[in-house]
Amino acid sequence: MVSGYDHHQIEQKWQRFWEKNSSFKAIEDNSKPKYYILDMFPYPSGQGLHVGHPLGYTATDVVSRYKRMKGFNVLHPMGWDAFGLPAEQYALQTGTHPAITTAENIDNFRRQIKTIGLSYDWDREINTTDPKYYKWTQWIFLQLFNKDLAYEAEVPVNWCPELGTVLANEEVVDGKSERGDHPVYRVPMRQWMLKITEYSESLLEGLDELDWPEGVKELQRNWIGRSEGAEVIFQLPSIDESITVFTTRPDTLFGATYMVLAPEHPLVGRLTVPNNKKQVKKYVEKALRKSDLARTELEKEKTGVFLGSYAINPANEEHIPIWISDYVLMTYGTGAIMAVPGEDQRDWDFAKKYDLPIVRTVQPPDKFDGEAYSDDGPSVNSDFLNGLKIVDAKEKIIDWLEKNKRGCSAIQYKLRDWLFSRQRYWGEPFPVIHFDGDVEAVAETDLPVELPEIEDYKPSKSGDPPLSNAGGWLTVDIDGKSGIRETNTMPQWAGSCWYFLRFVDPHNDDEPWNKDIESYWMPVDLYIGGQEHAVLHLLYARFWHHVLYDLGHVSTKEPFKKLVNQGMILGEDGAKMSKSRGNVINPDVIIDKYGADSLRLFYMFLGPLEKAKPWSTSGIQGSNRFIRRVWSMLTDENGDLSKKISDIEADNDLTRLIHQTIKKVTDDIEALRFNTAISQLMILVNEIKERDKYPKTAVELLVLLMSPFTPHVCEELWEKLGYDDTLINCNWPEYSEKLAKEELITIAVQINGKRRAEIEVAPGIDEESALALALEHENVKKYVDENEIKKTVLVKDRLLSIVV
RNA sequence: GCCGCGGUGGUGGAACUGGUAGACACGCUAGCCUUAGGAGCUAGUCUUCUCACGGAGGUGCGAGUUCGAGUCUCGCCCGCGGCACCA
């Protein structure tokens, strides 16, 4: 071996050094600008760290180390999102308490993360399952509860018998559980709900100011699903009531030829005429029994039943039949629609099947050969709206509705309230007590309500949570009244909704965080994590934060200023890593073989952070080779500083390259373009190696610039270069614009758009002189020849274009 | 169906606001060194014609704008992710 690079020895040495010196301890310091940089904290699973994890962690670490050298006071913490189903399921199988499993998994995760050499402030480590932590999760719940943002309701929930729990809408995918892929059914159950819908507008507006990927913002916008339209009141002569419908197309009101209610609509019974009772009852029961799976998979063709009664279209006073169908959802709008088959494909399908009248109210173009026509055009068959375009017709009909008290403009959201309870053991207990139908908050001084030890973690078939087995814990006497604790627990999202706030003041036992400290660190300046949290975690956390802001507990409305999603690491075959494919890479093995610095460098060099990229064994070997090249450049066979390093000054070419490199690496780290920063460092190494003697200043700059990426080997080399102080305390180098400039540059000469020659010129050369120089070039002469030069274009220091 | 992102050598990827396409690396080929190497070093490597000099073509496909298009406009094709009866 030419190189004596021993990554085991070097990495252990420096990891111990950082730990011993608490090198990354963050202390509030108003004299310095702060930078709060956060990873999405992991769920410590039994499988250990996945190779995907270190990608994001390394990215934040590079930025953290860079920002420290830039003079920022950096907060870079790590913790554990440790409540969750796997530990509980393991407990069901083995009887091992989830706390034990969780603690073991955390120890393993921490050990693995530490071997990567990440610059976390470990004194701030938090764990969502620690009573000292969830005390404050419960405290925040009480803030919501006291503000009437938490309530109990009997709601149709997504009940999953296999998991023995209810799931949030967001956890159900195609009628199956997101975890485990088990069937999910709609059943009514008493549940805790959080009124996130009250914050729809706030959450939507807040997005505009965020430096987040456009795609993620768009996902959230779609999830919130704001639509503008109108509410229209339809009178029901048979029962002397009215039904309000929501529509985004009030302009088509004259084309509303029938009405459809959701099967669950409360007026269905009263609107059903005796002759239709049997059929209607059958249809309603069938619809209620259907799981979401059945609704999405089997509902290719629309079904429905006529109730036998009529509603009055307020625009033209026509009696229109009322139907029920499960294509109308009780959970959106008012659970009733006006059907306009001429302009809505769903209504068209239904009308065709049941032979209901179709009236077009927008004139389609001549060549239109589709069914429902939903694009713009002049209104027809619409009385006073005739001839108007959609926008104007909408405005006019809304005016008319409001004047005649038959409706008004309205806004609807797709977002529903957040189902916040789970029938599980391993979660935060709700800090409330039931007294004879009344619900009371547990006094703040009695927090936390700790999870009791229980024998049986199994939920009952009816959905009674495991905590109903918790004997003595269950009943409480307060002031002579006896009550029963809530036996549901909070969902896993609860702990992650605010952990970034606890990081700013993690050991505070008197309050969730100190306000001054909070306003020093918040908001999170850079948040990096997986795209899979684009809606769930990030929307929930924003919701809590908006509430806390309104209550004056936090100083910023939005918690995460800049968000970046790291791309997935795929298997070497380009497919998603999975045990069944056998393409899983274990980070422990890689670090043992090549070292943490190689792994870090590989991740950062692989490609743009946000992109999905396949793992590459030869790629990591390449990174390892680069580190060894640098190592052997600076050291001799005895491990001493190489004799080729000397105090000579760098020549002009090298000086220029050094300054260009400082500039590029700095700019690239700021923009999170790590791969191109590294490629520039490689160019610098290649250039230095061409010299017989390596100027010490050049080598030192290289080590400084590389240190955020490969900190261990850089610390070691820095020490060999004769410095006592660690790189962490060094200043990031500054570049000189002047020295980075080329003395002579090569510009291209194009003739009629084709590159024909290159000429060497002084920077900033003017068009005339450039042309003169170009015309001396043989190849240019050849192409210009006798032709007349019609036009020339000079792009400064780039290219000269000649048109002949 | 709708929304978002993407398509550049054998591979990962470069290319600033329209300005020399393929930086840097991997892989491969040849050579050197070596008892040997899967270690290291040197050279080459988009395709194609040419001994070379130098041409021609080339960024998913087809048009367009421009002195000049990977980059901008329009129309398609393909891949990935999300939403999916939301009225």
Side-chain angles (χ1 to χ4, degrees):
Chain A
M1 282 283 266
V2 178
S3 96
Y5 170 61
D6 178 352
H7 66 261
H8 285 113
Q9 186 265 325
I10 294 170
E11 292 179 1
Q12 267 181 33
K13 169 178 165 186
W14 290 100
Q15 282 168 18
R16 281 201 200 113
F17 176 88
W18 295 324
E19 180 136 8
K20 202 176 106 216
N21 293 283
S22 299
S23 302
F24 308 113
K25 194 169 174 57
I27 297 160
E28 290 69 45
D29 177 356
N30 285 309
S31 69
K32 280 186 181 179
K34 66 96 186 182
Y35 201 80
Y36 185 178
I37 178 160
L38 184 67
D39 295 291
M40 289 186 186
F41 68 162
Y43 171 74
S45 75
Q47 275 97 55
L49 214 59
H50 180 267
V51 268
H53 287 122
L55 172 63
Y57 300 164
T58 304
T60 52
D61 199 60
V62 169
V63 178
S64 297
R65 288 175 181 271
Y66 161 77
K67 287 282 180 186
R68 279 192 200 96
M69 292 171 82
K70 269 279 191 183
F72 284 83
N73 192 23
V74 172
L75 175 58
H76 187 37
M78 180 45 82
W80 318 106
D81 187 18
F83 276 127
L85 209 46
E88 181 165 334
Q89 280 175 336
Y90 187 71
L92 270 167
Q93 285 158 22
T94 64
T96 313
H97 193 280
I100 295 168
T101 322
T102 302
E104 281 169 3
N105 291 347
I106 287 176
D107 285 345
N108 188 40
F109 258 68
R110 190 191 302 105
R111 175 194 63 75
Q112 287 188 300
I113 285 178
K114 284 194 175 178
T115 61
I116 307 170
L118 302 170
S119 63
Y120 293 123
D121 177 357
W122 285 105
D123 291 344
R124 292 176 186 253
E125 178 179 345
I126 59 176
N127 172 351
T128 55
T129 67
D130 182 347
K132 284 185 172 168
Y133 179 86
Y134 70 67
K135 170 181 178 176
W136 300 110
T137 310
Q138 293 173 338
W139 179 87
I140 296 172
F141 175 82
L142 289 183
Q143 309 310 306
L144 290 155
F145 180 77
N146 293 333
K147 220 198 155 198
D148 286 330
L149 290 169
Y151 62 99
E152 283 182 286
E154 190 83 16
V155 284
V157 297
N158 306 301
W159 167 248
C160 177
E162 207 66 37
L163 296 174
T165 186
V166 168
L167 301 170
N169 289 330
E170 294 85 338
E171 290 169 313
V172 181
V173 178
D174 288 336
K176 295 192 192 139
S177 62
E178 192 190 16
R179 264 169 197 273
D181 224 22
H182 306 299
V184 175
Y185 302 90
R186 308 286 292 178
V187 289
M189 231 180 242
R190 182 188 66 82
Q191 298 292 334
W192 280 96
M193 307 288 292
L194 296 187
K195 262 188 222 167
I196 191 170
T197 51
E198 199 148 295
Y199 277 77
S200 303
E201 198 57 46
S202 175
L203 290 167
L204 193 61
E205 276 173 8
L207 289 171
D208 295 339
E209 68 189 66
L210 297 177
D211 182 6
W212 285 20
E214 212 34 64
V216 175
K217 292 209 258 185
E218 208 46 40
L219 277 175
Q220 294 214 352
R221 285 191 191 107
N222 291 340
W223 194 266
I224 294 167
R226 182 186 205 269
S227 36
E228 289 179 23
E231 287 187 346
V232 183
I233 302 165
F234 285 70
Q235 294 301 327
L236 306 168
S238 64
I239 59 169
D240 196 23
E241 292 251 14
S242 67
I243 284 182
T244 302
V245 304
F246 174 75
T247 176
T248 52
R249 292 291 304 275
D251 59 296
T252 63
L253 183 54
F254 285 91
T257 52
Y258 63 103
M259 170 180 261
V260 188
L261 309 184
E264 307 92 326
H265 196 282
L267 289 178
V268 167
R270 292 176 58 201
L271 286 169
T272 307
V273 299
N275 271 349
N276 299 25
K277 278 254 179 318
K278 223 171 123 188
Q279 267 181 289
V280 168
K281 196 175 166 218
K282 212 171 118 198
Y283 186 83
V284 170
E285 276 173 4
K286 209 175 110 206
L288 288 179
R289 260 203 324 273
K290 270 184 194 169
S291 66
D292 277 4
L293 179 65
R295 278 207 185 189
T296 48
E297 274 191 1
L298 304 176
E299 287 318 291
K300 294 258 166 18
E301 177 134 339
K302 300 209 182 332
T303 57
V305 183
F306 177 41
L307 297 181
S309 356
Y310 294 82
I312 297 171
N313 183 331
N316 53 18
E317 306 287 336
E318 299 228 354
H319 282 54
I320 59 173
I322 306 174
W323 287 64
I324 55 169
S325 170
D326 61 8
Y327 85 91
V328 174
L329 310 172
M330 195 59 224
T331 43
Y332 181 75
T334 60
I337 63 157
M338 62 181 220
V340 187
E343 273 80 39
D344 185 297
Q345 189 60 41
R346 294 157 302 177
D347 297 342
W348 175 283
D349 294 340
F350 193 80
K352 275 286 166 197
K353 182 165 176 191
Y354 295 106
D355 208 19
L356 292 156
I358 297 171
V359 176
R360 286 206 193 278
T361 63
V362 178
Q363 182 62 49
D366 292 341
K367 53 185 186 290
F368 180 72
D369 61 351
E371 301 179 331
Y373 178 73
S374 52
D375 289 332
D376 207 354
S379 284
V380 290
N381 299 322
S382 294
D383 197 343
F384 57 88
L385 300 180
N386 283 344
L388 296 177
K389 294 264 194 181
I390 292 178
V391 210
D392 303 319
K394 274 185 182 174
E395 198 182 322
K396 192 154 182 187
I397 187 80
I398 288 172
D399 270 0
W400 184 87
L401 287 167
E402 287 179 348
K403 268 198 199 97
N404 293 284
K405 306 234 176 335
R406 291 177 182 193
C408 58
S409 73
I411 292 163
Q412 276 289 331
Y413 300 91
K414 280 203 286 187
L415 188 68
R416 324 254 164 94
D417 275 344
W418 176 12
L419 196 151
F420 193 66
S421 42
R422 297 292 182 276
Q423 291 66 51
R424 286 182 201 152
Y425 171 73
W426 195 230
E428 298 88 348
F430 281 82
V432 294
I433 301 169
H434 299 267
F435 295 99
D436 272 336
D438 277 348
V439 186
E440 279 182 29
V442 169
E444 273 184 29
T445 47
D446 290 339
L447 295 180
V449 176
E450 289 202 37
L451 258 182
E453 302 279 328
I454 57 171
E455 297 280 308
D456 188 6
Y457 302 103
K458 218 182 172 72
S460 75
K461 289 237 161 26
S462 64
D464 279 338
L467 283 179
S468 4
N469 307 328
W473 176 84
L474 207 55
T475 52
V476 237
D477 282 309
I478 291 175
D479 302 331
K481 280 194 300 182
S482 104
I484 297 176
R485 289 192 190 279
E486 174 60 58
T487 54
N488 283 299
T489 53
M490 298 186 199
Q492 197 182 344
W493 312 110
S496 58
C497 270
W498 74 284
Y499 73 109
F500 46 92
L501 285 165
R502 189 61 175 172
F503 276 137
V504 306
D505 192 12
H507 306 295
N508 195 330
D509 287 329
D510 304 318
E511 48 187 350
W513 52 82
N514 173 283
K515 273 198 77 173
D516 293 336
I517 297 176
E518 183 275 334
S519 63
Y520 175 70
W521 288 116
M522 287 296 287
V524 174
D525 294 284
L526 178 62
Y527 194 25
I528 296 188
Q531 165 106 54
E532 67 274 17
H533 294 112
V535 182
L536 309 182
H537 158 63
L538 288 169
L539 192 65
Y540 295 153
R542 291 183 58 226
F543 165 47
W544 279 29
H545 208 78
H546 282 212
V547 175
L548 291 169
Y549 179 72
D550 286 350
L551 290 172
H553 294 300
V554 295
S555 57
T556 65
K557 187 170 175 190
E558 289 290 338
F560 314 120
K561 198 158 116 189
K562 182 180 169 81
L563 172 76
V564 175
N565 294 126
Q566 87 271 20
M568 214 188 315
I569 298 292
L570 305 169
E572 192 139 26
D573 54 1
K576 212 167 162 170
M577 274 196 200
S578 71
K579 268 179 260 168
S580 57
R581 279 184 180 270
N583 59 358
V584 175
I585 303 287
N586 179 346
D588 276 346
V589 175
I590 300 299
I591 290 174
D592 184 56
K593 188 163 177 193
Y594 300 103
D597 283 334
S598 295
L599 182 74
R600 295 170 59 114
L601 190 72
F602 166 70
Y603 273 126
M604 296 296 95
F605 185 57
L606 194 55
L609 179 61
E610 301 87 339
K611 258 191 88 171
K613 299 152 290 234
W615 178 266
S616 156
T617 302
S618 48
I620 185 129
Q621 284 165 353
S623 299
N624 182 254
R625 186 179 308 158
F626 175 69
I627 291 171
R628 291 201 321 264
R629 268 163 65 87
V630 173
W631 179 266
S632 66
M633 183 168 98
L634 299 210
T635 62
D636 62 18
E637 54 283 356
N638 304 317
D640 298 325
L641 204 61
S642 165
K643 305 283 178 299
K644 289 177 109 178
I645 297 173
S646 77
D647 282 326
I648 53 161
E649 270 195 33
D651 54 83
N652 287 348
D653 283 347
L654 189 55
T655 304
R656 191 179 317 119
L657 184 65
I658 285 168
H659 285 271
Q660 286 169 349
T661 303
I662 298 171
K663 178 170 164 48
K664 178 139 184 71
V665 173
T666 306
D667 293 349
D668 282 353
I669 292 179
E670 291 278 357
L672 310 183
R673 288 188 304 246
F674 306 113
N675 54 334
T676 48
I678 293 168
S679 109
Q680 182 68 30
L681 289 167
M682 287 172 167
I683 293 170
L684 179 62
V685 170
N686 292 344
E687 189 67 26
I688 295 175
K689 281 199 82 163
E690 298 217 330
R691 306 292 187 276
D692 297 326
K693 294 257 178 207
Y694 310 143
K696 197 166 182 220
T697 50
V699 166
E700 286 177 358
L701 270 155
L702 173 70
V703 172
L704 281 165
L705 294 175
M706 268 180 73
S707 69
F709 299 97
T710 56
H712 310 86
V713 69
C714 287
E715 288 283 13
E716 185 71 16
L717 291 170
W718 193 244
E719 191 181 64
K720 286 188 193 300
L721 282 162
Y723 293 94
D724 298 332
D725 202 4
T726 146
L727 281 167
I728 301 156
N729 299 327
C730 292
N731 290 327
W732 188 253
E734 301 279 340
Y735 64 90
S736 147
E737 196 77 57
K738 202 175 122 213
L739 290 175
K741 277 244 174 69
E742 306 276 354
E743 289 166 334
L744 264 185
I745 50 170
T746 311
I747 70 169
V749 181
Q750 283 185 353
I751 295 159
N752 286 348
K754 294 259 177 221
R755 180 166 60 97
R756 293 301 177 190
E758 288 171 1
I759 51 173
E760 297 242 303
V761 299
I765 188 167
D766 61 75
E767 194 162 322
E768 236 171 278
S769 342
L771 182 63
L773 273 169
L775 287 172
E776 281 168 28
H777 198 281
E778 209 163 302
N779 220 23
V780 176
K781 276 186 200 154
K782 192 170 113 196
Y783 283 93
V784 174
D785 198 25
E786 306 280 282
N787 298 308
E788 183 198 348
I789 294 174
K790 285 191 187 141
K791 185 180 174 183
T792 56
V793 180
L794 178 83
V795 182
K796 191 166 174 285
D797 295 352
R798 280 269 167 188
L799 134 169
L800 176 71
S801 183
I802 304 171
V803 188
V804 298

